[in-house]
């Protein structure tokens, strides 16, 4: 069955370290997204990609970067982790349909920056 | 400024009764609306959606109502079951072809169904 996976599921790191969160989907979807979930804010878009070599900034992109070298993967990198980046991170993918725009989500990565 | 708002952070309902979750939006360009359900330690999962050309969409126990003039939508769950206890997110998309692929989420409502 097609799926979307994230790794690691839990990560503890220190301020200033570089961290990369992996996202892999086997839906063969063109569109991939990274969100962070924080209490009171719901899901906020960090970066997104509409295809290989395409990346775009979302609402809360400062301090984050992504790259898209193939259809299946969209890794999220925190260049220099900050305590404000402690959050739960979700990756999602979708294929634009004429009638709906459902995104499929991964299980999430809980990141703690000390 | 939040474009999609869920003003009730939590809702408690007795098993068997109706649960009504509300969502308001401000962007008139939104033309597609979705509800997602999220259990702890899992990713959100799609529940039901509605296009702006409709005012109601039903799927089993779940019905979504859209009032475009009021920029308001609601999710009705009848009858509510303990397994429905989760966080429910409202989401919207629309506008130009690029932004149509993006979803803007509300802050979520924690539904608790009491046995």
């Amino acid at each position: 069955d097609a799926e979307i996976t994230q790794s690691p599921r839990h990560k503890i790191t220190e301020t200033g370290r570089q961290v990369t969160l992996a996202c892999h989907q086997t839906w063969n979807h063109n569109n991939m997204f990274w969100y962070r979930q924080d209490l009171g804010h719901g899901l906020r878009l960090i970066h997104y990609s509409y295809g290989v070599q395409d990346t775009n900034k979302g609402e809360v992109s400062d301090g984050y970067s992504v790259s898209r070298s193939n259809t299946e993967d969209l890794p999220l990198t925190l260049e220099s982790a900050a305590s404000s980046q402690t959050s739960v991170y979700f990756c999602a993918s979708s294929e634009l349909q004429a009638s709906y725009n459902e995104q499929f989500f991964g299980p999430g990565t809980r990141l703690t920056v000390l | 400024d939040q474009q999609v708002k869920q003003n009730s952070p939590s809702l408690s309902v007795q098993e068997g009764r109706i649960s009504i979750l509300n969502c308001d939006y401000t962007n008139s360009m939104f033309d597609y609306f979705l509800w997602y359900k999220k259990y702890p330690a899992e990713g959100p999962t799609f529940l039901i959606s509605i296009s702006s050309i409709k005012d109601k969409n039903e799927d089993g126990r779940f019905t979504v109502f859209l009032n475009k003039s009021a920029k308001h939508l609601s999710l009705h769950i009848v009858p509510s079951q303990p397994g429905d206890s989760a966080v429910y997110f409202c989401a919207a998309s629309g506008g130009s072809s690029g932004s149509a692929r993006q979803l803007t989420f509300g802050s979520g409502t924690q539904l608790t169904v009491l046995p």
Side-chain angles (χ1 to χ4, degrees), chain A residues 62-105:
Chain A
D62 287 349
Y64 303 93
S65 64
V66 293
S67 60
R68 187 89 181 270
S69 59
N70 58 53
T71 301
E72 296 80 18
D73 300 288
L74 186 70
L76 177 71
T77 297
L78 287 70
E79 303 293 344
S80 178
S83 58
S84 60
Q85 295 177 307
T86 292
S87 186
V88 181
Y89 291 85
F90 290 101
C91 179
S93 70
S94 74
E95 189 64 45
L96 181 65
Q97 304 285 337
S99 59
Y100 66 94
N101 188 20
E102 178 185 350
Q103 291 184 13
F104 297 83
F105 282 81

Side-chain angles (χ1 to χ4, degrees), chain B residues 6 8 17 26 46 54-55 62 65 68 74 92 95 101 105:
Chain B
Q6 294 177 256
S8 298
R17 305 295 291 267
T26 57
F46 170 74
K54 298 185 177 180
D55 55 17
F62 302 92
F65 295 92
K68 283 184 63 179
S74 60
R101 302 186 232 186
F105 285 85

